[in-house]
């Protein structure tokens, strides 16, 4: 009797622990911010582990129960300590920022003006690490016809060095030699960007580059983040995790990965989705695209849809091409209304590969793609079109992400 | 005694979780996320070893889990400290 009760309890604890661990892992896939991930991880390292170890009581073997309890006691102490250590490191990285100013008063207005009327002036954040790739970003921005009243901020990130554990108030640290070193290229870049009507300043911040850039874009109320690219290949991006790709994931606004220092021909890739519509919208609104020819491309994949004619008849391809033609036309309308020069095109095949090869063939300088953003496991396994384009295109890539809230708004508006 | 079916299911499930944790590690954007993923992965390995020891009915695997918990704990502490001080590998 007692044994059967024990076995039921043990099985229950074991399975409940695994359910909790699954929920925690799912949460870690869903959330990208480190503190949100810590919250989800706590479920795995705490209750899930404890429940699984508690089930050792029901195993009816003395050695297993003893060892299980030993591990249980150990995990109780260590899991909270290691979570605390990670949280502390994240907190230090996030707050450990020191800024230098380029003597302009632009600091007093970030984000404040966004409530006004539809402004044409833009706020641009350029990430600069002193590398040649970053210089391409500066040159590209310098070539853009930014409207008067625009704000450009250059940002350099120092990865979390020089903060001793006992540092009480990191913001009051005096500028260190590393920061002074970084300011020199920043000031040179600021001089290259100088032009009438545009406010330029620069800051140096401490912490993980992608997070620092995302936070700064938020405070500046940036319309656009510009990052240089070292052009790591697909495999290396997966393993190393390039800063540019990380910025694309974390940035609150569109990200321009600069590879060519000019913009004379633009390719907009569209698939009729919400993110594509948002990207189209940006092209229509931003005045920097006024005098540039825009190729609008839609790629028909070879996946048949319900109601299509049977394959092999040649009809299928015609039907799909017609479908993509509609998508392209829908994207072209707002651009034409905004007075842009539009050239529509349809191609067939793998989306990312076709976008890249077509852009290369037409010697396009900039490819614009919409991205659904974090799609969790799906992206890890399959890789989105935007990622594919970013990994293999030689041209600069502008990735416009539709935020979840925005997508909802779009859907309800239709 | 926990029924055999439950234990086998639990072990398979824990293995799936291990794979998911590995994907999480691959996906991590910077060293902090990687550290957190490794910490969680360590706990999942403890869970896998514990269920394995239930399945086999021997205690050796839990002892291995104890050693692993000890190592992963100290590794996490050291890595977190290195991230703060900036002498570790860059993100």
């Amino acid at each position: 009797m007692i044994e059967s009760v024990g076995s039921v309890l043990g099985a229950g604890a074991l399975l409940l622990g695994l359910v909790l661990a699954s929920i925690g892992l799912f949460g870690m896939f869903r959330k990208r911010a480190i503190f949100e991930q810590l919250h989800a991880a706590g479920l795995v390292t705490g209750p899930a582990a404890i429940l699984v170890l508690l089930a050792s009581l029901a195993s009816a073997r003395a050695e297993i129960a003893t060892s299980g309890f030993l591990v249980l006691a150990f995990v109780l102490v260590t899991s909270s300590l290691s979570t605390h250590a990670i949280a502390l490191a994240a907190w230090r990285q996030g707050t450990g920022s020191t800024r230098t100013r380029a003597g302009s008063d632009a600091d007093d207005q970030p984000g404040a003006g966004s409530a006004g009327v539809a402004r044409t002036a833009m706020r641009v954040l350029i990430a600069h690490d002193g590398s040649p790739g970053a210089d391409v970003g500066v040159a590209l921005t310098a070539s853009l016809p930014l409207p008067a009243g625009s704000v450009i901020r250059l940002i350099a990130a120092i990865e979390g060095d020089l903060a001793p554990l006992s540092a009480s108030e990191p913001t009051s640290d005096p500028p260190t030699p590393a920061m002074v070193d970084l300011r020199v290229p920043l000031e040179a870049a600021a001089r290259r960007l100088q032009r009438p009507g545009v406010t330029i300043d620069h800051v140096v911040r401490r912490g993980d580059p992608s997070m620092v850039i995302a936070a700064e874009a938020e405070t500046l109320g940036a319309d656009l983040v510009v990052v240089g690219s070292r052009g790591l290949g697909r495999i290396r991006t997966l393993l190393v995790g390039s800063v540019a790709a990380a910025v694309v994931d974390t940035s609150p606004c569109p990200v321009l990965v600069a590879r060519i220092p000019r913009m004379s021909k633009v390719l907009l890739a569209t698939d009729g989705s919400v993110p594509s519509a948002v990207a189209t919208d940006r092209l229509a609104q931003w005045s920097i695209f006024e005098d540039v020819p825009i190729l609008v491309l839609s790629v028909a994949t070879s996946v048949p849809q319900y109601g299509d004619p049977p394959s092999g008849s040649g009809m299928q391809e015609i039907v799909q091409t017609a479908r993509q033609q509609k998508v392209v036309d829908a994207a072209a309308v707002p651009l034409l209304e905004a007075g842009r020069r539009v050239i529509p095109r349809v191609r067939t095949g793998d989306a990312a590969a076709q976008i890249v090869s077509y852009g290369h063939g037409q010697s396009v300088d900039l490819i614009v793609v919409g991205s659904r953003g974090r799609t969790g496991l799906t992206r890890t396994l399959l890789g989105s079109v935007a990622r594919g384009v970013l990994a293999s295109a030689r041209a600069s890539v502008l990735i416009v992400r539709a935020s979840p809230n925005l997508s909802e708004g779009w859907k309800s508006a239709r | 005694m926990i029924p055999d079916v439950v234990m086998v299911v639990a072990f398979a499930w824990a293995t799936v979780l291990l794979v998911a944790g590995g994907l999480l590690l691959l996906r991590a954007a910077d060293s902090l996320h990687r550290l957190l993923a490794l910490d969680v992965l360590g706990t999942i390995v403890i869970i896998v070893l514990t269920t394995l020891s239930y399945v086999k009915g021997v205690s050796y695997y839990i002892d291995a889990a104890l050693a692993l918990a000890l190592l992963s704990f100290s590794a996490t502490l050291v890595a977190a400290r290195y991230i703060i001080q900036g002498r570790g590998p860059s993100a």
Side-chain angles (χ1 to χ4, degrees):
Chain A
M1 177 61 193
I2 287 179
E3 202 176 282
S4 69
V5 170
S7 73
V8 168
L9 282 181
L14 188 58
L15 293 181
L16 184 60
L18 287 167
V19 168
L20 288 182
S22 310
I23 293 173
L25 267 179
F26 181 65
M28 289 184 72
F29 271 109
R30 283 288 297 275
K31 300 291 183 183
R32 288 304 282 261
I34 186 77
F35 289 110
E36 289 173 325
Q37 280 206 344
L38 271 167
H39 194 97
L43 206 57
V44 184
T45 57
I50 290 169
L51 279 171
V52 170
L53 288 165
L54 266 183
S56 65
L57 275 186
S59 68
R61 293 197 54 146
E63 319 97 318
I64 294 185
T66 319
S67 300
F69 253 80
L70 214 59
V71 181
L72 180 62
F74 193 79
V75 164
L76 270 179
V77 176
T78 59
S79 78
S80 49
L81 279 179
S82 51
T83 307
H84 173 77
I86 299 174
L88 186 69
W91 186 76
R92 290 246 186 242
Q93 256 195 1
T95 56
S97 63
T98 305
R99 69 184 318 176
T100 62
R101 292 179 51 162
S104 86
D105 55 356
D107 282 54
D108 302 324
Q109 40 180 323
S114 50
V117 285
R119 57 166 193 268
T120 48
M122 290 183 67
R123 291 170 177 276
V124 181
L125 183 69
I126 306 179
H128 199 286
D129 59 356
S131 70
D135 282 333
V136 173
V138 173
L140 176 57
T141 314
S143 76
L144 297 179
L146 287 174
S150 296
V151 176
I152 301 178
R153 177 171 292 173
L154 289 146
I155 180 170
I158 303 184
E159 293 195 35
D161 50 352
L162 45 91
L165 256 175
S166 57
S168 55
E169 198 42 61
T171 39
S172 66
D173 282 354
T176 57
M179 290 188 175
V180 176
D181 282 352
L182 269 177
R183 263 192 252 166
V184 177
L186 279 188
E187 277 158 12
R191 275 194 297 277
R192 285 177 66 187
L193 290 164
Q194 212 93 58
R195 78 181 76 174
V198 177
T199 317
I200 300 163
D201 67 351
H202 59 257
V203 293
V204 177
R205 298 232 187 273
R206 190 186 314 156
D208 177 70
S210 62
M211 291 169 79
V212 163
I213 292 165
E216 190 66 28
E218 194 92 46
T219 39
L220 181 68
D223 301 301
L224 178 65
V225 172
V226 181
V227 290
S229 159
R230 253 163 257 165
L232 301 181
R234 202 182 269 265
I235 300 295
R236 285 191 62 200
T237 310
L238 182 65
L239 295 179
V240 184
S242 87
V243 172
V247 171
V248 170
D249 283 342
T250 51
S251 167
C253 61
V255 176
L256 173 56
V257 180
R259 288 179 178 145
I260 298 177
R262 62 180 177 277
M263 188 182 75
S264 50
K265 206 173 189 184
V266 175
L267 172 63
L268 168 66
T270 177
D271 59 357
S273 65
V274 171
S276 293
V278 176
T280 311
D281 202 44
R282 292 289 177 281
L283 284 187
Q285 278 176 4
W286 287 352
S287 61
I288 51 173
F289 294 109
E290 245 160 31
D291 298 320
V292 200
I294 300 175
L295 304 169
V296 180
L297 175 69
S298 179
V299 180
T301 53
S302 35
V303 182
Q305 288 182 15
Y306 180 75
D308 282 358
S311 60
S313 62
M315 277 298 286
Q316 201 172 59
E317 197 166 303
I318 296 173
V319 169
Q320 278 179 5
T321 308
R323 189 178 291 137
Q324 296 315 115
Q325 191 66 52
K326 260 192 224 164
V327 169
V328 166
D329 291 346
V333 169
L335 292 175
L336 288 170
E337 278 172 358
R340 304 282 183 265
R341 286 151 56 194
V342 177
I343 306 160
R345 284 284 181 279
V346 173
R347 291 193 121 196
T348 316
D350 172 65
Q354 289 296 323
I355 292 167
V356 170
S357 72
Y358 181 70
H360 188 58
Q362 297 286 321
S363 53
V364 159
D365 303 318
L366 175 68
I367 298 177
V368 183
V369 281
S371 165
R372 247 170 268 271
R374 355 167 146 148
T375 45
L377 201 55
T378 330
R379 198 198 64 202
T380 312
L381 295 178
L382 304 174
S384 72
V385 172
R387 286 241 151 186
V389 171
L390 184 62
S392 48
R394 273 180 240 179
S396 307
V397 180
L398 173 62
I399 297 186
V400 182
R401 223 180 56 196
S403 69
N405 300 338
L406 193 56
S407 309
E408 290 305 314
W410 267 89
K411 276 175 200 152
S412 59
R414 285 183 167 190
Chain B
M1 276 298 287
I2 301 173
D4 281 354
V5 188
V6 174
M7 289 195 292
V8 171
V9 167
F11 183 59
W13 190 346
T15 312
V16 171
L17 290 184
L18 193 66
V19 174
L23 284 177
L24 193 67
L25 182 65
L26 272 183
R27 212 182 74 134
D30 57 40
S31 41
L32 255 182
H33 286 83
R34 234 164 270 150
L35 176 60
L36 183 60
L38 268 176
D39 191 42
V40 169
L41 208 51
T43 307
I44 294 176
V45 172
I46 292 175
I47 291 176
V48 170
L49 286 173
T50 311
T51 43
L52 182 62
S53 118
Y54 297 161
V55 171
K56 300 249 181 180
V58 291
S59 67
Y60 316 133
Y61 296 104
I62 294 200
D63 294 335
L66 183 62
L68 187 83
L70 181 76
L71 286 177
S72 98
F73 169 59
S74 45
T76 303
L77 283 195
V78 171
R81 209 188 146 84
Y82 264 64
I83 286 178
I84 292 176
Q85 297 189 337
R87 268 177 256 141
S90 59

